[in-house]
Amino acid sequence: MDEMTEYEKFLWEELSAANDMNLRNAYLLEDYIDYINAAGLREEFEAFRKVKAQQVANTSN
């Protein structure tokens, strides 16, 4: 691969940082899901999501 320009290096660093952040968020989300399931809160969480979706639908209408 040829030498990268400064702008290409900048873009590569930004992409790498964004990828790292997305991975951290994915691992955190996985931990939240594991916690919800382990605590037996899946049904309550699903009920919350339904209520929240209805509230969003009501405010957008």
Side-chain angles (χ1 to χ4, degrees):
M1 183 174 172
D2 295 336
E3 190 68 30
M4 288 193 286
T5 66
E6 288 300 314
Y7 184 64
E8 289 170 329
K9 288 178 188 177
F10 168 76
L11 291 177
W12 183 257
E13 291 170 2
E14 289 294 309
L15 180 62
S16 295
N19 188 48
D20 290 345
M21 186 172 29
N22 285 336
L23 282 174
R24 284 192 302 272
N25 286 339
Y27 291 135
L28 182 60
L29 180 58
E30 184 178 24
D31 288 344
Y32 280 136
I33 291 169
D34 289 346
Y35 172 78
I36 287 169
N37 289 329
L41 300 172
R42 179 134 183 106
E43 291 80 18
E44 289 85 352
F45 179 68
E46 291 297 329
F48 166 78
R49 289 182 64 208
K50 287 179 184 177
V51 169
K52 185 175 179 180
Q54 186 61 47
Q55 290 172 341
V56 169
N58 290 342
T59 58
S60 66
N61 290 335

